[in-house]
Amino acid sequence: MRAVHPAARRLAAVLAVVLVVAGVVATAVGLVRWLEPLTDLEGGVSVPVQVTASDGVGADLQLLVEMEPYDDVRVGGIPTGGLPHTDHRTYPLGVVTVYAPDASTSEKLLSRADAMLRGIALLVAALALRPVLRAVAADRPLRRHDGRRVQVAALCVVVGGYVAPLLPWLASASVLTRLDDPHGLSATPVHHLEVFVVAALVVLVGAVMSAGTQEPREVSRA
């Protein structure tokens, strides 16, 4: 069995602590952000939407339906791109934040659920990897169940990196439905498929580490 380099052992020891601390902090911050919309005295919610049509100005976007503005609905953010239907590379034109009143509890919770889910995913991954990192830090051979711990971490990568960003868009779809689906705005989320590549690499690295530091088998005596 090849000994782990001292620098790698020190790094593993530091990561075993830092990742758990980061996971706890991220979960706490995510919890605060998740519950924050419930404290809105006006009962409104802010959700992301994609701009599919614009006059190209974008600085002060006004939400109109049949040329009439929505009451109490505000739009923030500057959509990127040029005039609509002039260059296919500018579609969609960008993402803005729509603040809408009379939000339901589910819309409020979903609008910030991504922060909460990311924090939980990071904390679970950190706790799963902690024994693995401590084994590397102590230059101990990995065990069979350590491979499952790495798989849990890979699953957390998918949950935090792919599933979590989709949740606010569920609130966006609900808000746009309540607003009669205004022209020029869409609740189509972005699918971060590259996350699956990262998760596969995590599993691959775990398999390589396990193969290189597995426990020696006992030789049975005749």
Side-chain angles (χ1 to χ4, degrees):
M1 181 181 64
R2 182 183 299 178
V4 180
H5 194 279
R9 294 172 58 184
R10 289 192 295 269
L11 177 61
V14 171
L15 288 177
V17 177
V18 170
L19 289 180
V20 174
V21 173
V24 172
V25 173
T27 301
V29 173
L31 178 60
V32 173
R33 286 182 55 81
W34 182 48
L35 298 178
E36 184 179 1
L38 297 178
T39 63
D40 192 314
L41 299 179
E42 299 179 0
V45 66
S46 297
V47 293
V49 295
Q50 286 183 338
V51 179
T52 58
S54 171
D55 59 3
V57 178
D60 296 313
L61 189 64
Q62 189 177 24
L63 187 57
L64 300 176
V65 173
E66 296 181 354
M67 301 307 296
E68 294 294 331
Y70 267 113
D71 293 333
D72 301 324
V73 176
R74 303 191 298 271
V75 180
I78 301 177
T80 58
L83 295 174
H85 311 304
T86 58
D87 188 348
H88 68 279
R89 291 173 297 182
T90 62
Y91 179 86
L93 300 179
V95 176
V96 297
T97 300
V98 170
Y99 176 86
D102 303 325
S104 65
T105 302
S106 61
E107 288 174 351
K108 293 179 180 180
L109 293 178
L110 284 172
S111 67
R112 300 289 180 85
D114 57 332
M116 182 64 178
L117 191 56
R118 284 194 185 99
I120 294 175
L122 177 57
L123 179 58
V124 173
L127 292 176
L129 291 177
R130 186 168 180 265
V132 179
L133 293 172
R134 293 182 65 182
V136 173
D139 201 9
R140 295 196 307 265
L142 298 182
R143 301 173 182 176
R144 289 184 178 180
H145 60 266
D146 288 333
R148 290 192 292 270
R149 294 180 180 276
V150 174
Q151 293 173 1
V152 169
L155 179 61
C156 290
V157 170
V158 174
V159 172
Y162 181 81
V163 178
L166 300 181
L167 299 182
W169 292 96
L170 296 178
S172 303
S174 178
V175 168
L176 291 186
T177 299
R178 277 197 299 112
L179 299 179
D180 300 323
D181 193 15
H183 172 71
L185 298 179
S186 171
T188 304
V190 177
H191 296 278
H192 301 282
L193 298 178
E194 64 275 9
V195 170
F196 292 95
V197 177
V198 176
L201 289 176
V202 171
V203 175
L204 179 60
V205 170
V208 171
M209 290 176 56
S210 179
T213 61
Q214 60 183 347
E215 293 178 314
R217 297 180 179 179
E218 294 183 359
V219 179
S220 57
R221 298 180 179 179

